[in-house]
Amino acid sequence: MVQIGYTMMTEQAGPRELVDHVVRAEEVGFDFSVTSDHYFPWLRSQGHAPYAWSVLGAAAQATSRIPLMTYVTCPTFRYHPAVVAQKAATLQLLSEGRFRLGLGSGENLNEHIVGGGWPSVDVRHEMLEEAVEIIRALFEGGHVNRRGTHFDVESARLWDLPDSPPPIGIAVSGERSCALAGRLGDLVIATEPESGLLESFDRHGGAGKPRVGQLPVSYDPDRDAAVKRAHAQFRWFGNGWKVNAELPHPDSFEGATQFVTPDDVAGSIPCGDDPEVFVEAVRPYAEAGFTEIALVQIGGETQSAFLDWAEKTLLPALRDALG
């Protein structure tokens, strides 16, 4: 059965609200949760960007069943990989084994804040590979010393380690990242229902490992309101990750999406309150081979209504269709 997840999107709600939302998501029966890790929102209209790891620590204490996951953390610019390993190990302890560490090569939007420029995608993949190796070495215990191409580690050790380290997921968008994920990841992460990505992941060692996708949705009994909100806050989504990874500021995304219309957004994001429309939007992910699909309800102020509707209508419809 395909598992259906809930997204704590840090770009559209404050920290206390995010924790409240995931508590309710656990209550209504979502199978897992994921959390974005941003320093900036994509667009100013979203309006938020709290520190994801503090939110996750609070969520670990406020919930008891629902799995938690970063979707995704970049372990190469804002954070040194040795620090990411410490954070992930601590969160695995706090959540009593419910945490998965989702990693990716990052977006300029969030990583530019520490300076140093934004290298080419090939260099970013090299950095990600080196970071994953460091994190895995620290998860094994003992002291780690390393002189790498991009990172140095000086006698680092994690003093609080869980019995089972967090599984590591790696976000993919092309052949090179799929090769890295298949070789070094415990699961794969993608935001588009492309079976080719999963096939490439399998070829490089990913066969049989979980694969997690994500889909934005805009629930509202008033479909026009749902479309308007999706356009205001999520019109950047259609740019694709080759563009989204490069732009440095919310104002850049404003400019890049100035000609995107509400109809364009409604053509790619399910809007309204017809569960069949949402089921048909999720179905391509299941057919492509994703084992888990996280939904992103657009609009921080709409989460309570969405979660109530999901409990009564959407989750039963998805499980009937995809179970």
Side-chain angles (χ1 to χ4, degrees), residues 80-91:
H80 190 283
V83 176
V84 173
Q86 183 189 34
K87 293 192 291 189
T90 298
L91 195 53

Side-chain angles (χ1 to χ4, degrees), residues 220-231:
D220 200 295
D222 181 343
R223 186 177 183 276
D224 290 341
V227 172
K228 182 178 180 180
R229 186 172 61 248
H231 179 259

